């Protein structure tokens, strides 16, 4: 792994990979294993994409992508190969619900509110499950009723179903965690595609047996760092790509101080970030439309550390959901029972990101006091991260795609543009929206491009 060199340089490789997130690194790793030469260009000064490590009270934490399911076999295999280990997400004890100014506790995934609200949540979840089962996970835009479902937002669908306020509040939390946006900003078809890709409503929401079952002790960015370390100088940081030109027999990928000639390019950036790259020949309208309409949502996180996870002594899991304020959901990410105790809080960027650092801190602490009592008033450390404030390729975790954009532009997600191929979690069918999907798409693109390259002679294969 190397930093951007100062001098201009032209490099010939088999494949240029744009982006050093999980998709880009997985593509490069697979190509190298197939005996192909690669160069990975990353605009940031780090690898990992939407995975980023932070630190609170001396403990490494995930500012971005965090959890893996037992079913996420691709990313788990990658992590095992580089020596990263999982730990169970702590979920023992009572969860906390703060709704309409009242604090309650509950067990399982769904909060225990009024009997009427419980029935309503069951009704809405059953309706969601029925629609999810009808979605073609590889081509949601070809599913039955695709245009109808894409013409309304998730929020409008909840309106049409006459969902009660408690149900709407919980669905808003799901939407903000999954797409970094409220339900009214997300197409119903897009929401269903991601729920189906995640293995269904239960798998998407559950800790035990679900997508939140495990975290990585070393953090998820550490996986990317170790893969990049193996790739060595094939990964170049601080090198935003500004132009990709196609020729009859290859491509030229240009950045600030280097033009790389290759047979093919694999672009792994999120669709909205492709707008920063000039393509020659230009992208077709449907591909261009992806960059305009598949914008990333925004999500922020805060980590608050205490001497011990005191909430466990009160019989609480550390998981809480709330319908008001900056914080809307919390989890216990303490490294061990003896401490330090660490709460991870998801924060709504609309009421969080514009605040100064001290005010953000105070807002989070005040809400944790409401949720877990006065002992939350005195943390030993605090840190937060706002993805909307990233200077390069901001936003996350997933695209918040508005009505009509999935059926109009979705088919272009995986269509090649001459010698330019696409990867990235957005282009996945199953597991779209998570690290597992990113790894699978990187490997898939690498194998497709490798099959198009001329076969090496026995002498070249040995070299």
């Amino acid at each position: 792994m190397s930093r951007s060199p100062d001098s201009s340089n032209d490099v010939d490789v088999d494949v240029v990979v744009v982006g050093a997130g999980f998709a880009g690194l997985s593509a490069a790793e697979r190509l190298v294993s197939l005996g192909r030469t690669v160069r990975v260009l990353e605009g940031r000064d780090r690898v990992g994409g939407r995975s980023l490590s932070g630190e609170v009270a001396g403990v490494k934490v995930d500012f971005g992508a965090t959890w893996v399911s037992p079913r996420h076999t691709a990313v788990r295999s990658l992590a095992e190969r580089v020596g990263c280990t999982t730990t169970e997400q702590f979920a023992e004890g009572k969860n906390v619900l703060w709704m309409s100014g009242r604090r309650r506790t509950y067990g399982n995934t769904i909060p225990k509110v009024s009997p009427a609200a419980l029935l309503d949540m069951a009704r809405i979840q059953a309706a969601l499950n029925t629609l999810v089962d009808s979605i073609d996970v590889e081509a949601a835009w070809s599913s039955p009723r695709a245009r109808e479902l894409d013409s309304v937002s998730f929020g409008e669908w909840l309106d049409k179903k006459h969902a009660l306020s408690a149900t709407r509040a919980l669905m808003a939390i799901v939407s903000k965690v999954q797409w970094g946006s409220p339900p009214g900003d997300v197409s119903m078809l897009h929401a269903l595609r991601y729920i189906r890709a995640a293995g269904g409503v239960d798998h998407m929401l559950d800790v035990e047996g679900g997508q939140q079952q495990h975290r990585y002790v070393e953090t998820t960015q550490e996986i990317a760092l170790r893969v990049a370390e193996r790739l060595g100088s094939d990964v170049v940081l601080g090198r935003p790509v500004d132009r990709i030109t196609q020729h009859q027999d290859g491509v030229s990928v240009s950045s600030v101080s280097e033009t790389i000639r290759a047979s093919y390019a694999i672009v792994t950036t999120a669709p909205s970030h492709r707008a920063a790259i000039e393509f020659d020949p230009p992208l077709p309208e449907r591909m261009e439309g992806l960059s305009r309409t598949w914008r990333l949502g925004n999500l922020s996180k805060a980590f608050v550390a205490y001497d011990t996870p005191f909430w466990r002594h009160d019989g609480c899991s550390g998981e809480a959901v709330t319908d008001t304020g900056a914080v809307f959901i919390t989890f216990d990410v303490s490294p061990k029972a003896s401490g330090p105790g660490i709460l991870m809080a998801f924060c709504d960027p609309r009421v969080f990101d514009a605040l100064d650092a001290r005010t953000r801190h105070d807002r989070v602490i005040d809400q944790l006091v409401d949720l877990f009592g006065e002992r939350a008033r005195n943390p030993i450390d605090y840190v937060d991260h706002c993805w909307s404030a990233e200077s390069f390729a901001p936003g996350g975790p997933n695209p918040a795609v508005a009505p009509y954009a999935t059926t109009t532009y979705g088919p272009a997600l995986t269509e090649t543009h001459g010698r330019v191929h696409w990867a990235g979690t957005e282009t996945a069918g199953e597991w779209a929206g998570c690290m597992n999907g990113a790894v699978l798409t990187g490997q898939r693109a690498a194998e497709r491009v490798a099959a198009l390259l001329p076969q090496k002679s026995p002498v070249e294969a040995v070299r």
Side-chain angles (χ1 to χ4, degrees), residues 22-23 26 73-75 423 428 430-431 435-447:
F22 276 79
S26 296
T73 55
V75 69
E430 188 179 26
W431 307 125
M435 292 178 289
N436 203 63
V439 172
L440 288 169
T441 64
Q443 294 171 345
R444 177 188 67 196
E447 288 163 3

Side-chain angles (χ1 to χ4, degrees), residues 210-423:
Q211 286 208 139
Q212 285 72 236
Q213 181 162 330
H214 292 112
R215 296 180 288 108
Y216 278 96
V217 174
E218 300 84 359
T219 73
T220 61
Q221 191 194 9
E222 183 63 25
I223 303 170
L225 286 165
R226 294 184 186 186
V227 175
E229 196 72 32
R230 290 186 173 192
L231 291 167
S233 60
D234 291 340
V235 180
V236 184
L237 305 179
R239 188 65 61 81
V241 169
D242 51 35
R243 183 179 176 87
I244 298 177
T245 304
Q246 299 194 52
H247 313 289
Q248 185 175 355
D249 58 351
V251 297
S252 296
V253 180
S254 302
S255 60
V256 177
S257 58
E258 185 179 51
T259 296
I260 302 178
R261 296 183 297 268
S263 296
Y264 292 92
I266 298 175
V267 177
T268 69
T269 59
S272 59
H273 296 150
R274 297 175 192 170
I277 303 173
E278 181 183 356
F279 290 87
D280 181 16
L283 296 178
E285 168 54 31
R286 195 154 67 176
M287 289 183 189
E288 185 72 29
L290 279 172
S291 65
R292 295 195 308 268
T293 61
W294 281 56
R295 65 174 186 82
L296 284 178
N298 282 306
L299 191 60
S300 300
K301 279 185 177 181
F303 292 84
V304 188
Y306 301 89
D307 288 323
T308 64
F310 63 83
W311 49 90
R312 297 188 187 184
H313 305 307
D314 296 334
C316 290
S317 66
E319 183 174 341
V321 294
T322 174
D323 67 344
T324 187
V327 175
F328 59 87
I329 191 167
T330 70
F331 290 91
D332 178 344
V333 293
S334 309
K336 52 189 176 181
S338 60
I342 301 174
L343 289 170
M344 174 174 68
F346 285 86
C347 302
D348 189 331
R350 298 172 300 171
V351 292
F352 188 74
D353 290 11
L355 303 173
D356 63 77
R358 185 69 211 181
T359 304
R360 293 198 306 269
H361 168 279
D362 292 347
R363 294 280 178 89
V364 171
I365 299 303
D366 286 345
Q367 283 195 260
L368 294 184
V369 170
D370 287 339
L371 295 170
F372 300 107
E374 278 298 321
R375 278 177 290 182
R377 183 78 65 190
N378 301 304
I380 60 172
D381 200 6
Y382 171 96
V383 67
D384 62 34
H385 187 79
C386 303
W387 282 91
S388 67
E390 291 264 300
S391 60
F392 181 84
N398 291 309
V401 180
Y404 301 105
T406 298
T407 49
T408 303
Y409 301 112
L413 281 169
T414 56
E415 292 174 353
T416 59
H417 178 50
R419 290 177 174 267
V420 177
H421 291 242
W422 313 105

Side-chain angles (χ1 to χ4, degrees), residues 93-249:
K94 301 172 291 184
N95 300 334
V96 175
L97 171 69
W98 180 281
M99 190 167 288
S100 302
R102 180 184 170 193
R103 182 186 185 275
R104 284 169 279 191
T105 59
Y106 65 98
N108 302 319
T109 302
I110 302 299
K112 288 184 178 179
V113 286
S114 69
L118 283 174
L119 287 172
D120 190 60
M121 280 186 272
R123 176 180 67 90
I124 293 300
Q125 186 167 343
L128 275 174
N129 285 334
T130 298
L131 289 174
V132 166
D133 288 344
S134 72
I135 299 300
D136 180 349
V137 74
E138 299 296 335
W141 37 90
S142 299
S143 303
R145 301 174 57 195
R147 292 192 176 278
E148 174 191 348
L149 293 168
D150 201 29
S151 69
V152 297
S153 70
F154 186 18
E156 288 170 328
W157 180 82
L158 290 168
D159 287 341
K160 290 184 177 182
K161 301 298 287 187
H162 304 290
L164 297 181
S165 59
T167 302
R168 292 186 62 88
L170 291 171
M171 290 299 106
I173 290 171
V174 171
S175 184
K176 287 188 285 188
V177 170
Q178 190 69 25
W179 303 291
S181 190
D185 292 350
V186 180
S187 152
M188 185 60 183
L189 180 62
H190 182 70
L192 293 170
R193 173 180 181 250
Y194 268 66
I195 295 171
R196 180 62 185 266
V201 175
D202 289 337
H203 189 260
M204 185 174 76
L205 300 180
D206 287 348
V207 173
E208 186 174 353
Q211 286 208 139
Q212 285 72 236
Q213 181 162 330
H214 292 112
R215 296 180 288 108
Y216 278 96
V217 174
E218 300 84 359
T219 73
T220 61
Q221 191 194 9
E222 183 63 25
I223 303 170
L225 286 165
R226 294 184 186 186
V227 175
E229 196 72 32
R230 290 186 173 192
L231 291 167
S233 60
D234 291 340
V235 180
V236 184
L237 305 179
R239 188 65 61 81
V241 169
D242 51 35
R243 183 179 176 87
I244 298 177
T245 304
Q246 299 194 52
H247 313 289
Q248 185 175 355
D249 58 351

